[in-house]
Amino acid sequence: MSNKITYSEFCQHYNLDTISNDAKKEYEDYSSNLDLLNNTAINIATQTVIKKAHGGARKGAGRKALRGETVVKRFPERYIAAVNALIEHLDGALGKSATGTHVSEVNCRNLNNDLITLHFQSENRKAQM
């Protein structure tokens, strides 16, 4: 924020006649512009404080993952089907505790663009005992 200077300081700085109407008009314009600038600075400072007080990341906020903790991992786009099939296999194995074994497969392409079949087989260790 800027401090206003007095009318006589303004006239002295700009070499104006303190008696002239033009000098008085220029000082009024200066005062108005300075007030506007100072009010804008106050508004910006107030908005900055408000932005800091609301929103943002908070510990424990957000929807919880259905399958537990998650991670972000980058992998080739062509592996999406295989990764989704693995997730579906693991999710499907949750309800198969009575049978003990869950089998699934997916056809996908490797990085050499060869068509491959992935076989997933999981066994419930509790069912084996």
Side-chain angles (χ1 to χ4, degrees):
M1 287 184 34
S2 299
N3 295 326
K4 265 188 207 178
I5 59 174
T6 64
Y7 177 66
S8 59
E9 291 172 329
F10 180 81
C11 289
Q12 182 180 1
H13 180 75
Y14 292 104
N15 296 324
L16 300 172
D17 183 13
T18 57
I19 301 172
S20 81
N21 288 332
D22 288 341
K24 291 177 184 176
K25 174 69 174 134
E26 285 186 41
Y27 182 75
E28 287 175 13
D29 290 345
Y30 155 78
S31 295
S32 297
N33 289 337
L34 189 61
D35 289 341
L36 180 64
L37 178 69
N38 286 339
N39 287 337
T40 302
I42 290 171
N43 289 340
I44 290 171
T46 304
Q47 288 173 357
T48 302
V49 170
I50 290 172
K51 285 181 183 177
K52 289 181 181 177
H54 298 287
R58 297 177 313 282
K59 187 175 182 177
R63 191 174 94 184
K64 305 300 179 235
L66 297 175
R67 297 178 179 102
E69 295 296 317
T70 61
V71 296
V72 176
K73 176 83 174 160
R74 294 176 64 105
F75 55 87
E77 202 172 304
R78 65 180 55 210
Y79 289 170
I80 290 175
V83 171
N84 286 338
L86 175 61
I87 292 170
E88 287 176 21
H89 172 83
L90 293 172
D91 287 350
L94 291 175
K96 307 289 183 186
S97 60
T99 61
T101 302
H102 180 63
V103 178
S104 61
E105 63 181 45
V106 63
N107 293 320
C108 62
R109 295 201 177 267
N110 63 14
L111 288 179
N112 294 329
N113 207 29
D114 300 326
L115 184 62
I116 60 172
T117 301
L118 295 176
H119 300 276
F120 300 117
Q121 179 176 338
S122 57
E123 297 178 12
N124 190 329
R125 302 257 177 187
K126 291 181 184 177
Q128 291 178 349
M129 293 182 176

